[in-house]
Amino acid sequence: MNGLINYISCAALWLGLVVKAPDLLRHRRDPYLRAICAVLGLAGLCFLLGAPPTVGAVNELSGVPNLAAPITYAAITGYCAASQVLVVHWRGGPHVRRTARRWALAYAAVVLGIAVTFVLGDAPVERRTDLDTYYATTPFIAAMIVLYLLAHLTAVTVTTLTSLRWARRVRGGLRAGMTLLGIGSLCGAGYSVAKLVAVGARWSGHDWSALGTTVSPAAAGLGALVTVVGVLVPLVAPRAAEWRRAERTYARLGPLERALDDLLTRRALRLPRPRFASPGTRLVWRRTSIHNALGHLDAYFDRDLYDRTRAGVLAATGDPERAEAAAWAAVITDAVRHEADPRREAPASRDTGPPLDRTPGQAALGRIADVLAGTAPWPAASAVPSGTTTAGTA
């Protein structure tokens, strides 16, 4: 075996750690973040140490046959402790620190037991992939193997049950993340279960070492992948939702920008279009272009037209927001037409009423674009007082 599954799993877990690291740097005292980063870091270390090439390198450098085994088992036990501390912080309650400390001390005792049993045992033949079954009947070494496997099985079982139970109480990305984390832990349980079955078979005189050399690593690798996805989903989901909202708003403002396109191009009011930008950046660019155009048209806005159109649409629909959007659409369309007319009159001579005391807000821009796109229908012509110019008649 070349350890490819181990190294891929390690890379996936440490990728999740890299993604979480900025949050940890900003909130160093957050025990939840410390625990989840410890889980990702130690899980990746377990896969790294358990890869056959790494096992051979550790044994060769140390000069002690199979020294890589207790080191790997200690890393697995450390991962188990971090998992239990994470579960404790999920649950919360008045005695979080005390309970977390007890779990840490319990798994520290397991690490001590692993070290003691390895020293007392005798494992002279190097086994890079099947040490669990090869030494399953060797005094002290067998105890070391069973000790770390039971510790691992306990940790993943508790994590699975807690994650799936909590997933029923939350919604959205957090629920998906907790469900995936529970499934990943369940897959991880396949690692210790497969090895325990193989060890039990060895005790009864059967050779089921393939469970420990093929099924177990595959289950652990799958569990690592699903666990990383579960950790990342709560981070990615809000950002993905924000991107979707930005994309929808960007598309919604399209009709308004197109209505201002000639002005934006002719007066060079549009900033360079961003390339390979996020939806949020493109939305800011479109909004900036629209505001630049509206700022240029400010002198051409007809307050009398605004008031008459708004009053007519409000009387017809009873919807103040729709009436405001229709009035702005009429005023903007009228201003664009007059600004582009080379024979236009001076703006002051057109302004029959007091100047508009404000410009459309961010929310109003979307409604104005809806009017211009025809998704917010105009009222019947009779509903608007005579003499009113609307965007539809420009």
Side-chain angles (χ1 to χ4, degrees), residues 9-19 40-46 48 228:
S9 301
C10 175
L13 288 160
W14 283 355
L15 174 62
L17 177 60
V18 169
V19 173
L40 293 173
L42 288 171
L45 182 63
C46 294
L48 177 64
V228 169

Side-chain angles (χ1 to χ4, degrees), residues 89 146 261:
H89 286 292
V146 172
D261 184 69

Side-chain angles (χ1 to χ4, degrees), residues 97-172:
R97 291 185 178 181
R98 183 188 305 172
T99 305
R101 190 180 304 113
R102 288 176 178 174
W103 276 113
L105 290 174
Y107 277 98
V110 173
V111 172
L112 179 61
I114 290 171
V116 171
T117 51
F118 180 76
V119 171
L120 295 177
D122 185 22
V125 180
E126 182 186 52
R127 308 300 296 186
R128 298 189 179 185
T129 60
D130 63 346
L131 183 142
D132 298 317
T133 51
Y134 187 86
Y135 288 107
T137 57
T138 302
F140 294 109
I141 301 298
M144 176 186 71
I145 294 168
V146 172
L147 183 62
Y148 98 87
L149 288 175
L150 289 179
H152 179 267
L153 183 59
T154 300
V156 292
T157 300
V158 173
T159 303
T160 299
L161 295 176
T162 303
S163 300
L164 296 179
R165 186 182 302 116
W166 194 24
R168 295 197 299 266
R169 303 177 184 176
V170 294
R171 293 290 181 270

Side-chain angles (χ1 to χ4, degrees), residues 41-89:
L42 288 171
L45 182 63
C46 294
F47 281 103
L48 177 64
L49 293 174
T54 307
V55 171
V58 171
N59 293 337
E60 183 178 353
L61 290 173
S62 66
V64 179
N66 299 309
L67 179 63
I71 294 176
T72 303
Y73 298 163
I76 292 174
T77 305
Y79 158 77
C80 296
S83 298
Q84 294 311 298
V85 171
L86 178 62
V87 168
V88 168
H89 286 292

Side-chain angles (χ1 to χ4, degrees), residues 245-246 248-250 252-254 256 280 282-292 294 321 324-325 328 332 358-370:
R245 287 193 296 269
R248 288 195 297 265
T249 305
Y250 176 85
R252 185 185 184 189
L253 293 177
L256 178 54
R282 292 191 292 117
L283 175 59
V284 170
W285 171 80
R286 176 162 279 181
R287 281 174 169 167
T288 302
S289 299
I290 291 172
H291 282 296
N292 288 346
L294 295 180
E321 290 184 347
E324 180 186 28
W328 272 116
I332 291 171
R358 60 189 176 87
T359 57
Q362 298 285 18
L365 292 180
R367 293 191 290 270
I368 295 169
D370 292 342

Side-chain angles (χ1 to χ4, degrees), residues 254-267:
L256 178 54
E257 187 193 8
R258 286 191 291 272
L260 300 168
D261 184 69
D262 177 68
L263 170 65
L264 288 167
T265 303
R266 182 162 37 81
R267 298 294 185 182

